[in-house]
């Protein structure tokens, strides 16, 4: 069977990679803001993130495209056009470390491993607990990914805050609630000037393959 090309996007296309953190329930804010700034978008979720961490149906309604998590078969059409940018929000300890190590065992991880080679801007909003953020492997991962040109927002722990404490986004959180997550910061990072990166030239720009690793 001849492989079908993905439906072309009329605007720049943003891949949004969603990981399993509590704040993922608010990813609609990023998708809405992206649309308001002239992006089309598609969501790629880690398998764990599909276990109730965000409203999949709502994300599909906002993007007009299916949320992806599983590998496609050779007979399936490519679901998204090639990316013009990638946002990872929220990005967890596990995903950041797998990405840095080149472990492409899920569609989300493989997408991130391929993305730097496409030469597109990549923004990351980490959601990592303080106790994990001091782990040497995590620190090494941040250093390696920054050297690849990946742009990082301020760290976010996802822990509940006392009433009235300001969130990283500047909004007070309710008593015992999670602090606000600065979703639009990902778009700000993508709009910024190109980050410093190694001088290794990127490979040819092409669509993420969505094929299982071999």
């Amino acid at each position: 069977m001849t492989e079908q090309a993905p439906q072309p996007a009329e605007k720049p296309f943003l891949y949004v990679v969603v990981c399993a953190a509590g704040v993922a329930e608010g990813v609609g804010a990023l998708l809405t803001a992206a649309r308001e700034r002239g992006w089309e978008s598609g969501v790629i979720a880690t398998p764990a993130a599909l276990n109730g961490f965000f409203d999949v149906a709502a994300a599909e309604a906002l993007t007009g495209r299916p949320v992806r998590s599983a590998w496609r078969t050779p007979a399936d059409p490519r679901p998204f056009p090639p990316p013009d940018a990638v946002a990872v929000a929220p990005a967890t300890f596990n995903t950041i470390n797998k990405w840095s190590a080149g472990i492409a065992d899920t569609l989300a991880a493989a997408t991130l491993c391929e993305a730097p080679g496409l030469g597109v801007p990549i923004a990351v909003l980490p959601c990592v607990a303080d106790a994990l953020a001091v782990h040497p492997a995590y620190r090494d991962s941040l250093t390696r990914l920054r050297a690849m040109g990946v742009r990082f927002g301020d760290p976010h722990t996802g822990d509940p805050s006392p009433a009235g404490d300001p969130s990283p986004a500047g909004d007070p959180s309710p008593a015992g609630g999670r602090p606000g997550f600065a979703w639009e910061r990902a778009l700000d990072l993508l709009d910024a000037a190109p980050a410093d990166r190694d001088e290794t030239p990127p490979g040819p720009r092409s669509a993420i393959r969505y094929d299982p690793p071999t």
Side-chain angles (χ1 to χ4, degrees), residues 1-200:
M1 178 181 293
T2 302
E3 183 181 278
Q4 301 176 39
Q7 180 181 352
E10 297 180 356
K11 302 176 181 178
F13 200 85
L14 175 67
Y15 285 10
V16 177
V17 177
V18 180
C19 303
V23 297
E25 62 189 0
V27 70
L30 173 57
L31 301 176
T32 299
R35 184 174 59 191
E36 291 172 349
R37 295 198 193 188
W39 293 91
E40 289 190 47
S41 58
V43 174
I44 300 170
T46 65
L50 289 183
N51 293 328
F53 281 87
F54 71 105
D55 189 331
V56 172
E60 292 179 339
L62 284 169
T63 63
R65 296 176 185 267
V67 169
R68 303 293 300 177
S69 182
W71 305 102
R72 71 178 181 89
T73 68
D76 290 335
R78 296 184 186 276
F80 299 157
D84 294 288
V86 177
V88 193
T92 58
F93 176 86
N94 190 51
T95 293
I96 289 171
N97 285 329
K98 286 206 301 184
W99 178 14
S100 172
I103 299 173
D105 61 344
T106 67
L107 178 60
T111 296
L112 294 177
C113 287
E114 287 190 0
L118 299 179
V120 299
I122 305 168
V124 179
L125 300 184
C127 186
V128 176
D130 289 338
L132 290 173
V134 298
H135 195 289
Y138 179 71
R139 292 181 175 180
D140 290 346
S141 293
L142 296 181
T143 299
R144 172 177 284 185
L145 292 173
R146 285 189 175 114
M148 293 164 58
V150 177
R151 309 166 188 187
F152 283 86
D154 293 334
H156 183 92
T157 67
D159 295 330
S161 295
D165 278 5
S167 72
D171 300 322
S173 56
R178 290 192 184 93
F181 191 67
W183 292 101
E184 291 195 46
R185 177 60 177 153
L187 302 177
D188 295 338
L189 290 168
L190 295 175
D191 288 339
D196 293 336
R197 59 180 299 154
D198 291 341
E199 294 302 319
T200 304

